[in-house]
Amino acid sequence: MAIERTLSILKPDATRRNLTGHINAIFEDAGLAVLAQKRILLTRAQAESFYGVHRERGFFNDLVSYMISGPVVAQVLSGEDAVLKNRELMGATDPKKAAEGTIRAQYAESIEANSVHGSDSAENAATEISFFFAEIDIVA
Ligand code: ADP
Ligand code: MG
């Protein structure tokens, strides 16, 4: 096992319901540390760029509109196998399919408004972390 970093986003449905602390407690209880965190309102161009891999998907425009509908909290999480561990804590994309006890099973409102984003590989984590944070912002 290796200490990794991953990029997490608390999505607008989570910030709207004041769930930042609840979700961070789940990360911290599982051994993931929050090394950097900021609450921001993404522009449409920023959201389109972040989710660019999904540009051809039918849900892309709705997803972008949703992601700019309110503030998000972007964060760098660190810990052993952080990428996979965070994906396990998050649960499946569709909350109806998410395992009991996962963040999405507990908090997601829909397959779109599903409370959290997490990088899906170490390589994508590095790219996504640098989208939001400079190395000087990340304090281990
Ligand atoms: P994940 O966030 O679990 O990695 P994806 O990368 O496949 O999932 O999708 C990115 C985000 O797009 C999802 O978290 C969700 O907000 C949204 N999304 C995915 N699939 C759908 C869908 N079928 N309908 C609406 N929104 C979707
Ligand atoms: Mg994804």
Side-chain angles (χ1 to χ4, degrees):
M1 297 225 274
I3 300 294
E4 290 178 338
R5 290 176 177 179
T6 192
L7 190 278
S8 166
I9 303 176
L10 311 185
K11 294 182 175 182
D13 69 277
T15 61
R16 178 170 46 76
R17 287 175 291 155
N18 237 5
L19 294 172
T20 301
H22 283 84
I23 296 173
N24 278 352
I26 293 171
F27 295 144
E28 293 185 339
D29 287 348
L32 295 178
V34 181
L35 300 192
Q37 173 166 268
K38 64 181 169 190
R39 179 173 161 114
I40 52 173
L41 190 57
L42 292 169
T43 66
R44 183 168 292 276
Q46 287 169 335
E48 286 176 351
S49 172
F50 183 79
Y51 274 123
V53 65
H54 294 308
R55 199 171 289 274
E56 304 306 321
R57 308 285 290 276
F59 58 77
F60 180 73
N61 286 330
D62 283 348
L63 172 61
V64 168
S65 295
Y66 159 66
M67 287 298 289
I68 66 173
S69 67
V72 299
V73 176
Q75 35 186 213
V76 178
L77 305 180
S78 172
E80 283 199 352
D81 287 329
V83 172
L84 184 62
K85 184 178 278 183
N86 183 37
R87 295 291 302 193
E88 287 173 356
L89 293 171
M90 289 164 60
T93 309
D94 181 350
K96 294 197 201 97
K97 297 178 183 158
E100 201 181 325
T102 59
I103 294 168
R104 283 165 165 172
Q106 285 186 71
Y107 294 124
E109 296 181 319
S110 67
I111 192 169
E112 176 182 81
N114 58 4
S115 303
V116 281
H117 166 85
S119 307
D120 61 7
S121 70
E123 188 186 354
N124 286 340
T127 306
E128 292 181 358
I129 287 170
S130 65
F131 185 91
F132 287 101
F133 297 99
E135 197 55 38
I136 197 170
D137 298 322
I138 305 168
V139 181

